[in-house]
Amino acid sequence: MQTIIDTMGIVVKDMPQIQDTLTLEWIGCNSKLDARVKVNIHARYGEHNIARIREHIRLTRRDIEDSCIGKNEVRMERMDIAIDTNKYAFGIDFKKLMLFGELLSIRQGGKVGGTNRYYTTDIDSLLPNSIKFKQKRDLTIEIYNKKLESPTHQYETRIEFRYDRKDRDIENCLDLFDNTIELLKAMEGNLQRVEGSMIERLSKLYKKQVNESLVKSFSEFVRKYNDYFYTLEILKGVYKNSGLKGNYNTWLKEFRKLNDLEFITKTEIRKFQKTSIKSVREYIKG
């Protein structure tokens, strides 16, 4: 895994517009007629050639000052922190990535879920290619198929933390990385809440589909919604709520004779946490 700053959004005070450069793109102006600019220094230096945050900030500041912006006051309003990995691929690990996204985006002290949680499908391959979670007003977490977006990219999958509505100096961003680490640390502790929420969601859906004759059996339902049965605990909970008689373990053994049904373990969650946190810490330490 490797962490980088992907792109940054800045506001240029008292300049309604700027001339685009290789790394700076004018995207409009705010209500105060200050220019809003997208900064992508990877266009000049390459995406994984800047291994530490200090160097990224230095090169960003240099590109800004070498442009028509010069020494004008600049404030950062957005930063996208990306963790790239070849450990997980969308076509194989979609189920894991869905769970990881739920564990990262769950709101502390609030309900699970919201209106801005969805995944998209690539029309050409007909496979899922991105999962987006609006964690709160100023943070969106998106996990997407980086290789599909950029076929020559060296990494398969990107986990991106998009921090928005931030008004600060460019150099003042370490707290965003600290927050990312805290979200990663909290994943395992969030598992029980996510499991409870998914049991409730799947149980309601099962009853609805049975009533509407959209599935003929519990087995058909599990085959249809396999990707949402993240853990064994979720299966046990939905089985219990289904009203079926008998032990869930007996049903599971019979089901697996003809069907694949794999569960994600706490060990796998911990491995993802450990490698991700290590990657972020490596990026900010230098």
Coordinates of all heavy atoms in Angstrom, one line a residue, residues 18-105:
I18 N -7.7 32.5 -13.0 CA -6.3 32.4 -13.2 C -6.1 31.7 -14.5 O -7.0 31.0 -15.1 CB -5.6 31.6 -12.1 CG1 -6.0 30.1 -12.2 CG2 -5.8 32.2 -10.7 CD1 -5.0 29.2 -11.5
Q19 N -4.9 31.7 -15.1 CA -4.5 31.0 -16.3 C -4.2 29.6 -15.9 O -3.3 29.4 -15.0 CB -3.4 31.7 -17.0 CG -3.0 31.0 -18.3 CD -4.0 31.2 -19.4 OE1 -4.6 32.3 -19.5 NE2 -4.2 30.2 -20.2
D20 N -4.8 28.6 -16.5 CA -4.4 27.2 -16.2 C -3.0 26.9 -16.6 O -2.4 27.5 -17.5 CB -5.3 26.2 -17.1 CG -6.7 26.2 -16.5 OD1 -7.0 26.8 -15.5 OD2 -7.6 25.5 -17.2
T21 N -2.4 26.0 -15.8 CA -1.0 25.5 -16.0 C -1.1 24.0 -16.1 O -2.2 23.4 -16.0 CB 0.0 26.0 -14.9 OG1 -0.4 25.3 -13.7 CG2 -0.1 27.5 -14.7
L22 N 0.0 23.3 -16.2 CA 0.1 21.9 -16.2 C -0.5 21.3 -14.9 O -1.2 20.3 -14.9 CB 1.5 21.4 -16.4 CG 1.7 19.9 -16.4 CD1 1.0 19.3 -17.6 CD2 3.2 19.6 -16.5
T23 N -0.3 22.0 -13.8 CA -0.7 21.4 -12.5 C -1.9 22.2 -11.8 O -2.4 21.7 -10.8 CB 0.5 21.5 -11.5 OG1 0.9 22.8 -11.4 CG2 1.6 20.6 -12.0
L24 N -2.3 23.3 -12.4 CA -3.3 24.2 -11.8 C -4.5 24.3 -12.8 O -4.3 24.7 -13.9 CB -2.8 25.5 -11.4 CG -1.6 25.6 -10.5 CD1 -1.1 27.1 -10.3 CD2 -1.8 24.9 -9.2
E25 N -5.7 24.1 -12.3 CA -6.9 24.1 -13.1 C -7.9 25.0 -12.5 O -8.4 24.7 -11.4 CB -7.5 22.7 -13.4 CG -8.7 22.8 -14.2 CD -9.4 21.4 -14.3 OE1 -8.8 20.4 -13.8 OE2 -10.5 21.3 -14.9
W26 N -8.3 26.1 -13.1 CA -9.3 27.0 -12.6 C -10.7 26.4 -12.8 O -11.0 25.9 -13.9 CB -9.3 28.4 -13.4 CG -10.3 29.4 -12.9 CD1 -10.3 30.1 -11.8 CD2 -11.5 29.7 -13.6 NE1 -11.4 30.9 -11.7 CE2 -12.2 30.7 -12.8 CE3 -12.1 29.3 -14.8 CZ2 -13.4 31.3 -13.2 CZ3 -13.3 29.9 -15.2 CH2 -14.0 30.9 -14.4
I27 N -11.5 26.3 -11.7 CA -12.8 25.6 -11.8 C -13.9 26.6 -11.4 O -15.1 26.1 -11.3 CB -12.8 24.4 -10.8 CG1 -12.5 24.8 -9.4 CG2 -11.8 23.3 -11.3 CD1 -12.6 23.7 -8.4
G28 N -13.6 27.8 -11.3 CA -14.7 28.8 -11.1 C -14.3 29.7 -9.9 O -13.1 29.8 -9.5
C29 N -15.3 30.5 -9.4 CA -15.0 31.3 -8.3 C -16.1 31.3 -7.3 O -17.2 30.8 -7.6 CB -14.8 32.8 -8.8 SG -16.2 33.5 -9.6
N30 N -15.8 31.6 -6.0 CA -16.8 31.6 -5.0 C -17.6 32.8 -4.9 O -17.5 33.7 -5.8 CB -16.1 31.2 -3.6 CG -15.1 32.3 -3.2 OD1 -15.1 33.5 -3.7 ND2 -14.2 32.0 -2.3
S31 N -18.4 32.9 -3.9 CA -19.3 34.1 -3.8 C -18.6 35.4 -3.5 O -19.1 36.5 -3.8 CB -20.3 33.9 -2.6 OG -19.7 33.7 -1.4
K32 N -17.3 35.3 -3.1 CA -16.5 36.5 -2.8 C -15.7 36.8 -4.1 O -14.8 37.7 -4.0 CB -15.6 36.3 -1.6 CG -16.4 36.1 -0.3 CD -15.4 35.8 0.8 CE -16.2 35.6 2.1 NZ -15.3 35.3 3.3
L33 N -15.9 36.1 -5.1 CA -15.1 36.3 -6.4 C -13.7 35.9 -6.2 O -12.8 36.5 -6.9 CB -15.3 37.7 -7.0 CG -16.8 38.1 -7.3 CD1 -16.8 39.5 -7.9 CD2 -17.4 37.1 -8.3
D34 N -13.4 35.0 -5.4 CA -12.0 34.4 -5.3 C -12.0 33.2 -6.2 O -12.9 32.4 -6.2 CB -11.7 34.0 -3.8 CG -11.8 35.1 -2.8 OD1 -11.4 36.3 -3.2 OD2 -12.2 34.9 -1.7
A35 N -10.8 33.0 -6.9 CA -10.7 31.9 -7.8 C -10.6 30.6 -7.0 O -9.9 30.5 -6.0 CB -9.4 32.0 -8.6
R36 N -11.3 29.6 -7.5 CA -11.2 28.2 -6.9 C -10.4 27.4 -7.9 O -10.7 27.3 -9.1 CB -12.6 27.6 -6.7 CG -13.4 28.4 -5.7 CD -14.8 27.8 -5.5 NE -14.7 26.5 -4.9 CZ -15.2 25.4 -5.4 NH1 -15.8 25.4 -6.6 NH2 -15.1 24.2 -4.7
V37 N -9.4 26.7 -7.4 CA -8.4 26.1 -8.3 C -8.1 24.7 -7.8 O -7.9 24.4 -6.6 CB -7.1 26.9 -8.3 CG1 -6.0 26.2 -9.2 CG2 -7.3 28.3 -8.8
K38 N -8.1 23.7 -8.8 CA -7.7 22.3 -8.5 C -6.2 22.2 -8.7 O -5.7 22.6 -9.8 CB -8.5 21.4 -9.4 CG -8.1 19.9 -9.2 CD -8.9 19.0 -10.1 CE -8.5 17.6 -10.0 NZ -9.3 16.7 -11.0
V39 N -5.5 21.6 -7.7 CA -4.1 21.5 -7.8 C -3.8 20.0 -7.9 O -4.1 19.2 -7.1 CB -3.4 22.0 -6.6 CG1 -1.9 22.0 -6.8 CG2 -3.8 23.5 -6.3
N40 N -3.0 19.6 -9.0 CA -2.6 18.2 -9.2 C -1.2 18.2 -9.6 O -0.9 18.2 -10.8 CB -3.5 17.5 -10.2 CG -3.1 16.1 -10.5 OD1 -2.3 15.5 -9.7 ND2 -3.5 15.5 -11.6
I41 N -0.3 18.2 -8.7 CA 1.2 18.3 -9.0 C 1.7 17.0 -9.6 O 2.8 17.0 -10.2 CB 2.0 18.8 -7.9 CG1 2.1 17.7 -6.8 CG2 1.6 20.1 -7.3 CD1 3.1 18.0 -5.7
H42 N 0.9 15.9 -9.5 CA 1.3 14.7 -10.1 C 1.4 14.8 -11.7 O 2.1 14.0 -12.3 CB 0.4 13.5 -9.8 CG 0.2 13.3 -8.3 ND1 1.3 13.1 -7.5 CD2 -0.9 13.4 -7.5 CE1 0.8 13.0 -6.2 NE2 -0.5 13.1 -6.2
A43 N 0.7 15.7 -12.2 CA 0.8 15.9 -13.7 C 2.2 16.3 -14.1 O 2.6 16.0 -15.3 CB -0.2 17.0 -14.1
R44 N 2.9 16.9 -13.2 CA 4.3 17.3 -13.5 C 5.3 16.3 -13.0 O 6.3 16.0 -13.7 CB 4.6 18.7 -12.9 CG 6.0 19.2 -13.3 CD 6.4 20.5 -12.6 NE 5.3 21.5 -12.8 CZ 5.2 22.3 -13.9 NH1 6.0 22.1 -14.9 NH2 4.2 23.2 -13.9
Y45 N 5.1 15.8 -11.8 CA 6.2 15.0 -11.2 C 5.9 13.5 -11.1 O 6.8 12.7 -10.7 CB 6.3 15.5 -9.7 CG 6.7 17.0 -9.7 CD1 5.7 17.9 -9.3 CD2 7.9 17.4 -10.0 CE1 6.0 19.2 -9.2 CE2 8.2 18.8 -9.9 CZ 7.2 19.7 -9.6 OH 7.5 21.0 -9.5
G46 N 4.7 13.0 -11.6 CA 4.4 11.6 -11.5 C 3.7 11.3 -10.2 O 4.0 11.9 -9.2
E47 N 2.8 10.4 -10.2 CA 1.9 10.2 -9.1 C 2.6 9.6 -7.9 O 2.3 10.0 -6.7 CB 0.7 9.3 -9.5 CG -0.4 9.3 -8.5 CD -1.7 8.8 -9.0 OE1 -1.8 7.6 -9.2 OE2 -2.6 9.6 -9.2
H48 N 3.5 8.6 -8.0 CA 4.1 8.0 -6.9 C 5.6 8.3 -6.8 O 6.3 7.5 -6.2 CB 3.8 6.5 -6.9 CG 2.4 6.1 -6.5 ND1 2.0 6.1 -5.2 CD2 1.3 5.8 -7.3 CE1 0.7 5.8 -5.2 NE2 0.3 5.6 -6.4
N49 N 6.0 9.4 -7.3 CA 7.4 9.8 -7.3 C 7.6 10.8 -6.1 O 8.8 11.1 -5.8 CB 7.8 10.5 -8.6 CG 7.8 9.6 -9.7 OD1 8.0 8.4 -9.6 ND2 7.5 10.1 -10.9
I50 N 6.6 11.2 -5.4 CA 6.7 12.1 -4.2 C 6.3 11.2 -3.0 O 5.1 11.0 -2.8 CB 5.8 13.3 -4.4 CG1 6.1 14.0 -5.7 CG2 6.1 14.3 -3.2 CD1 5.2 15.1 -6.0
A51 N 7.3 10.8 -2.2 CA 7.0 9.8 -1.2 C 6.6 10.3 0.1 O 6.2 9.6 1.0 CB 8.2 8.9 -1.0
R52 N 6.8 11.7 0.4 CA 6.5 12.2 1.7 C 5.7 13.5 1.5 O 5.8 14.3 0.6 CB 7.8 12.5 2.4 CG 8.7 11.3 2.7 CD 8.1 10.5 3.8 NE 8.9 9.4 4.2 CZ 8.9 8.2 3.7 NH1 8.0 7.9 2.7 NH2 9.7 7.2 4.1
I53 N 4.9 13.8 2.6 CA 4.0 14.9 2.5 C 4.8 16.2 2.5 O 4.3 17.2 1.8 CB 3.1 14.9 3.8 CG1 2.0 16.1 3.7 CG2 3.8 15.0 5.1 CD1 1.0 16.0 4.8
R54 N 5.9 16.3 3.2 CA 6.6 17.6 3.2 C 7.1 18.0 1.8 O 7.0 19.2 1.4 CB 7.9 17.5 4.1 CG 8.6 18.8 4.3 CD 9.8 18.6 5.2 NE 9.4 18.1 6.5 CZ 10.2 17.8 7.5 NH1 11.5 17.8 7.3 NH2 9.7 17.4 8.7
E55 N 7.5 17.0 1.0 CA 8.0 17.3 -0.4 C 6.8 17.7 -1.2 O 6.9 18.6 -2.1 CB 8.7 16.1 -0.9 CG 9.2 16.2 -2.4 CD 10.4 17.2 -2.5 OE1 10.8 17.8 -1.5 OE2 10.8 17.4 -3.6
H56 N 5.6 17.0 -1.0 CA 4.4 17.3 -1.8 C 4.0 18.8 -1.6 O 3.7 19.5 -2.5 CB 3.3 16.4 -1.4 CG 2.1 16.5 -2.3 ND1 1.7 15.6 -3.2 CD2 1.2 17.5 -2.4 CE1 0.6 16.0 -3.9 NE2 0.3 17.1 -3.4
I57 N 4.0 19.2 -0.3 CA 3.6 20.6 0.0 C 4.6 21.6 -0.6 O 4.2 22.6 -1.1 CB 3.5 20.7 1.5 CG1 2.4 19.8 2.1 CG2 3.3 22.2 1.9 CD1 1.0 20.1 1.6
R58 N 5.9 21.3 -0.5 CA 6.9 22.2 -1.0 C 6.7 22.3 -2.5 O 6.8 23.5 -3.0 CB 8.3 21.6 -0.7 CG 9.5 22.5 -1.2 CD 10.8 21.9 -1.0 NE 11.1 20.8 -1.9 CZ 11.5 21.0 -3.2 NH1 11.6 22.3 -3.7 NH2 11.7 20.0 -4.0
L59 N 6.5 21.3 -3.2 CA 6.4 21.4 -4.7 C 5.1 22.0 -5.1 O 5.0 22.8 -6.1 CB 6.4 20.0 -5.3 CG 7.8 19.3 -5.2 CD1 7.7 17.8 -5.7 CD2 8.8 20.0 -6.1
T60 N 4.0 21.8 -4.3 CA 2.7 22.5 -4.5 C 2.9 24.0 -4.3 O 2.5 24.8 -5.2 CB 1.7 22.0 -3.5 OG1 1.5 20.6 -3.7 CG2 0.4 22.8 -3.7
R61 N 3.6 24.4 -3.3 CA 3.8 25.8 -3.0 C 4.6 26.5 -4.2 O 4.3 27.6 -4.6 CB 4.5 26.0 -1.7 CG 4.7 27.5 -1.3 CD 3.5 28.3 -1.1 NE 2.8 28.0 0.1 CZ 1.7 28.6 0.5 NH1 1.1 29.5 -0.3 NH2 1.0 28.3 1.6
R62 N 5.6 25.7 -4.6 CA 6.5 26.3 -5.7 C 5.7 26.4 -7.0 O 5.8 27.5 -7.7 CB 7.7 25.3 -5.9 CG 8.7 25.9 -6.9 CD 9.9 25.0 -7.1 NE 9.6 23.8 -7.9 CZ 10.5 22.9 -8.2 NH1 11.7 23.0 -7.7 NH2 10.2 21.9 -8.9
D63 N 4.9 25.4 -7.3 CA 4.1 25.5 -8.6 C 3.1 26.7 -8.5 O 2.8 27.4 -9.5 CB 3.3 24.2 -8.8 CG 4.2 23.2 -9.7 OD1 5.4 23.2 -9.5 OD2 3.6 22.5 -10.5
I64 N 2.5 26.9 -7.3 CA 1.5 28.0 -7.2 C 2.3 29.3 -7.3 O 1.8 30.2 -8.1 CB 0.9 27.9 -5.8 CG1 -0.1 26.7 -5.7 CG2 0.1 29.2 -5.5 CD1 -0.7 26.5 -4.4
E65 N 3.4 29.5 -6.7 CA 4.1 30.8 -6.7 C 4.8 31.0 -8.1 O 5.0 32.2 -8.5 CB 5.2 30.8 -5.6 CG 4.5 30.8 -4.2 CD 5.5 30.9 -3.1 OE1 6.7 30.9 -3.4 OE2 5.1 31.0 -1.9
D66 N 5.1 30.0 -8.8 CA 5.6 30.2 -10.2 C 4.6 30.5 -11.2 O 4.9 30.8 -12.4 CB 6.4 28.9 -10.6 CG 7.7 28.7 -9.9 OD1 8.2 29.7 -9.2 OD2 8.3 27.6 -10.0
S67 N 3.3 30.4 -10.8 CA 2.2 30.7 -11.8 C 1.8 32.1 -11.6 O 2.5 32.9 -10.9 CB 1.0 29.8 -11.5 OG 0.4 30.2 -10.3
C68 N 0.7 32.5 -12.3 CA 0.3 33.9 -12.2 C -0.2 34.3 -10.8 O -0.4 35.4 -10.5 CB -0.8 34.2 -13.3 SG -2.3 33.2 -13.0
I69 N -0.5 33.3 -10.0 CA -0.9 33.5 -8.6 C 0.2 34.2 -7.8 O -0.1 35.1 -7.0 CB -1.3 32.2 -7.9 CG1 -2.5 31.5 -8.6 CG2 -1.7 32.4 -6.4 CD1 -2.8 30.1 -8.2
G70 N 1.4 33.8 -8.0 CA 2.5 34.4 -7.3 C 2.4 34.3 -5.8 O 2.2 33.3 -5.3
K71 N 2.5 35.5 -5.2 CA 2.5 35.6 -3.7 C 1.1 35.9 -3.2 O 1.0 36.2 -2.0 CB 3.5 36.6 -3.2 CG 5.0 36.3 -3.6 CD 5.5 35.1 -2.7 CE 7.0 34.9 -3.0 NZ 7.5 33.8 -2.1
N72 N 0.1 35.9 -4.0 CA -1.2 36.2 -3.6 C -1.6 35.2 -2.4 O -1.2 34.1 -2.4 CB -2.3 36.1 -4.7 CG -2.4 37.3 -5.5 OD1 -1.4 38.0 -5.8 ND2 -3.6 37.7 -5.8
E73 N -2.5 35.6 -1.6 CA -2.9 34.8 -0.5 C -3.7 33.6 -1.0 O -4.6 33.7 -1.8 CB -3.8 35.5 0.5 CG -4.3 34.7 1.7 CD -5.2 35.4 2.6 OE1 -5.5 36.6 2.4 OE2 -5.6 34.8 3.6
V74 N -3.3 32.4 -0.5 CA -4.0 31.1 -1.0 C -4.4 30.4 0.3 O -3.7 30.3 1.3 CB -3.0 30.3 -1.8 CG1 -3.5 28.9 -2.0 CG2 -2.6 30.9 -3.1
R75 N -5.6 29.9 0.2 CA -6.2 29.0 1.3 C -6.6 27.7 0.7 O -7.1 27.6 -0.4 CB -7.4 29.7 1.9 CG -7.2 31.1 2.5 CD -6.3 31.1 3.7 NE -7.1 30.5 4.9 CZ -6.6 30.4 6.1 NH1 -5.3 30.6 6.3 NH2 -7.3 29.9 7.0
M76 N -6.3 26.6 1.5 CA -6.8 25.3 1.0 C -8.2 25.1 1.5 O -8.6 25.4 2.6 CB -5.9 24.2 1.7 CG -6.2 22.8 1.1 SD -5.3 21.5 2.0 CE -6.2 21.4 3.5
E77 N -9.1 24.5 0.6 CA -10.4 24.2 0.9 C -10.8 22.7 0.8 O -11.8 22.3 1.3 CB -11.4 25.0 0.1 CG -11.4 24.7 -1.4 CD -12.5 25.4 -2.2 OE1 -13.3 26.1 -1.5 OE2 -12.6 25.2 -3.4
R78 N -9.9 22.0 0.2 CA -10.2 20.6 0.0 C -8.9 19.8 -0.2 O -7.9 20.3 -0.8 CB -11.0 20.3 -1.3 CG -11.2 18.8 -1.7 CD -12.2 18.6 -2.8 NE -12.1 17.3 -3.3 CZ -13.1 16.6 -3.9 NH1 -14.2 17.2 -4.1 NH2 -12.9 15.4 -4.4
M79 N -8.8 18.6 0.4 CA -7.7 17.7 0.1 C -8.2 16.2 0.0 O -9.0 15.8 0.8 CB -6.7 17.8 1.3 CG -5.5 16.8 1.1 SD -4.3 16.9 2.4 CE -3.4 18.4 1.9
D80 N -7.7 15.6 -1.0 CA -8.0 14.1 -1.3 C -6.8 13.3 -0.9 O -5.7 13.4 -1.5 CB -8.4 13.9 -2.7 CG -9.6 14.7 -3.1 OD1 -10.3 15.2 -2.2 OD2 -9.9 14.8 -4.3
I81 N -7.0 12.5 0.2 CA -5.9 11.6 0.6 C -6.2 10.2 0.0 O -7.3 9.6 0.3 CB -5.8 11.5 2.1 CG1 -5.5 12.9 2.7 CG2 -4.8 10.5 2.6 CD1 -5.6 13.0 4.2
A82 N -5.2 9.6 -0.7 CA -5.5 8.4 -1.4 C -4.5 7.3 -0.8 O -3.3 7.5 -0.6 CB -5.2 8.5 -2.9
I83 N -5.1 6.1 -0.6 CA -4.3 4.9 -0.2 C -4.5 3.9 -1.4 O -5.6 3.5 -1.7 CB -4.8 4.3 1.1 CG1 -4.7 5.3 2.2 CG2 -3.9 3.0 1.4 CD1 -5.3 4.7 3.5
D84 N -3.4 3.7 -2.1 CA -3.4 2.8 -3.2 C -2.9 1.4 -2.9 O -2.0 1.2 -2.1 CB -2.6 3.3 -4.4 CG -3.2 4.5 -5.0 OD1 -4.4 4.8 -4.8 OD2 -2.5 5.3 -5.8
T85 N -3.5 0.4 -3.4 CA -3.2 -1.0 -3.1 C -3.4 -2.0 -4.2 O -4.2 -1.8 -5.1 CB -4.0 -1.5 -1.9 OG1 -3.7 -2.8 -1.5 CG2 -5.5 -1.4 -2.2
N86 N -2.5 -3.0 -4.2 CA -2.7 -4.2 -5.1 C -3.2 -5.4 -4.4 O -3.3 -6.5 -5.0 CB -1.4 -4.5 -5.8 CG -1.1 -3.5 -7.0 OD1 -2.0 -3.1 -7.7 ND2 0.2 -3.1 -7.2
K87 N -3.4 -5.2 -3.1 CA -3.8 -6.4 -2.3 C -5.3 -6.7 -2.6 O -5.7 -7.9 -2.5 CB -3.7 -6.0 -0.8 CG -4.2 -7.0 0.2 CD -3.5 -8.3 0.2 CE -4.0 -9.2 1.3 NZ -3.4 -10.6 1.3
Y88 N -6.1 -5.7 -2.9 CA -7.5 -5.9 -3.2 C -7.9 -5.4 -4.6 O -7.5 -4.3 -5.0 CB -8.3 -5.2 -2.1 CG -7.9 -5.5 -0.7 CD1 -7.0 -4.6 0.0 CD2 -8.4 -6.6 -0.1 CE1 -6.6 -4.9 1.3 CE2 -8.0 -6.9 1.2 CZ -7.1 -6.1 1.9 OH -6.7 -6.4 3.2
A89 N -8.6 -6.3 -5.3 CA -9.0 -6.0 -6.7 C -10.5 -6.0 -6.7 O -11.2 -6.9 -6.1 CB -8.4 -6.9 -7.7
F90 N -11.2 -5.1 -7.4 CA -12.6 -5.0 -7.4 C -13.3 -6.3 -7.9 O -14.3 -6.7 -7.3 CB -13.1 -3.8 -8.3 CG -13.6 -2.7 -7.5 CD1 -12.7 -1.8 -6.9 CD2 -15.0 -2.5 -7.4 CE1 -13.2 -0.7 -6.2 CE2 -15.4 -1.4 -6.6 CZ -14.5 -0.5 -6.0
G91 N -12.8 -6.9 -8.9 CA -13.4 -8.1 -9.5 C -13.4 -9.3 -8.5 O -14.3 -10.1 -8.5
I92 N -12.4 -9.3 -7.6 CA -12.3 -10.4 -6.7 C -12.7 -10.1 -5.3 O -13.3 -10.9 -4.6 CB -10.8 -10.9 -6.6 CG1 -10.4 -11.3 -8.1 CG2 -10.6 -12.0 -5.7 CD1 -8.9 -11.6 -8.2
D93 N -12.5 -8.9 -4.9 CA -12.6 -8.5 -3.5 C -13.7 -7.4 -3.2 O -13.7 -6.7 -2.2 CB -11.3 -7.9 -2.9 CG -10.2 -8.9 -3.0 OD1 -10.3 -10.0 -2.4 OD2 -9.2 -8.6 -3.8
F94 N -14.7 -7.4 -4.1 CA -15.8 -6.4 -4.0 C -16.4 -6.5 -2.6 O -16.7 -5.5 -1.9 CB -16.8 -6.6 -5.1 CG -17.9 -5.6 -5.0 CD1 -17.8 -4.3 -5.3 CD2 -19.2 -6.1 -4.6 CE1 -18.8 -3.4 -5.2 CE2 -20.3 -5.2 -4.6 CZ -20.1 -3.8 -4.8
K95 N -16.7 -7.7 -2.1 CA -17.4 -7.9 -0.9 C -16.6 -7.3 0.3 O -17.1 -6.6 1.2 CB -17.6 -9.4 -0.7 CG -18.5 -9.8 0.5 CD -18.7 -11.3 0.5 CE -19.8 -11.8 1.5 NZ -20.1 -13.2 1.3
K96 N -15.3 -7.6 0.3 CA -14.4 -7.0 1.3 C -14.4 -5.5 1.3 O -14.4 -4.8 2.3 CB -13.0 -7.6 1.2 CG -12.8 -9.0 1.5 CD -11.3 -9.5 1.3 CE -11.2 -11.0 1.6 NZ -9.8 -11.4 1.3
L97 N -14.3 -5.0 0.1 CA -14.2 -3.5 -0.1 C -15.5 -2.8 0.4 O -15.4 -1.8 1.0 CB -13.9 -3.2 -1.5 CG -12.5 -3.6 -2.0 CD1 -12.3 -3.4 -3.5 CD2 -11.4 -2.9 -1.3
M98 N -16.6 -3.5 0.1 CA -17.9 -3.0 0.6 C -17.9 -2.9 2.2 O -18.3 -1.9 2.8 CB -19.0 -3.8 0.2 CG -19.4 -3.6 -1.3 SD -20.5 -2.2 -1.5 CE -22.0 -2.9 -0.9
L99 N -17.4 -4.0 2.8 CA -17.4 -4.0 4.3 C -16.4 -3.0 4.8 O -16.7 -2.2 5.7 CB -17.0 -5.4 4.8 CG -16.8 -5.5 6.3 CD1 -18.1 -5.1 7.0 CD2 -16.4 -6.9 6.7
F100 N -15.2 -2.9 4.2 CA -14.2 -1.9 4.7 C -14.8 -0.5 4.6 O -14.6 0.3 5.5 CB -13.0 -2.0 3.8 CG -12.2 -3.3 4.0 CD1 -11.2 -3.7 3.1 CD2 -12.4 -4.1 5.1 CE1 -10.5 -4.9 3.2 CE2 -11.7 -5.3 5.2 CZ -10.8 -5.7 4.3
G101 N -15.5 -0.2 3.5 CA -16.1 1.1 3.3 C -17.1 1.4 4.4 O -17.2 2.5 4.9
E102 N -18.0 0.4 4.7 CA -19.0 0.6 5.8 C -18.3 0.8 7.1 O -18.7 1.6 7.9 CB -19.9 -0.6 5.8 CG -20.9 -0.7 4.6 CD -22.3 -1.2 5.1 OE1 -22.8 -0.6 6.0 OE2 -22.8 -2.1 4.4
L103 N -17.3 0.0 7.4 CA -16.6 0.2 8.7 C -15.9 1.5 8.8 O -15.8 2.1 9.9 CB -15.5 -0.9 8.8 CG -16.1 -2.4 9.0 CD1 -15.0 -3.4 8.9 CD2 -16.9 -2.5 10.2
L104 N -15.4 2.1 7.7 CA -14.7 3.4 7.7 C -15.7 4.5 7.8 O -15.4 5.6 8.4 CB -13.9 3.5 6.5 CG -12.6 2.8 6.4 CD1 -12.0 2.8 4.9 CD2 -11.6 3.4 7.3
S105 N -16.9 4.4 7.3 CA -17.8 5.5 7.1 C -18.9 5.6 8.2 O -19.6 6.6 8.2 CB -18.4 5.5 5.7 OG -19.3 4.3 5.6

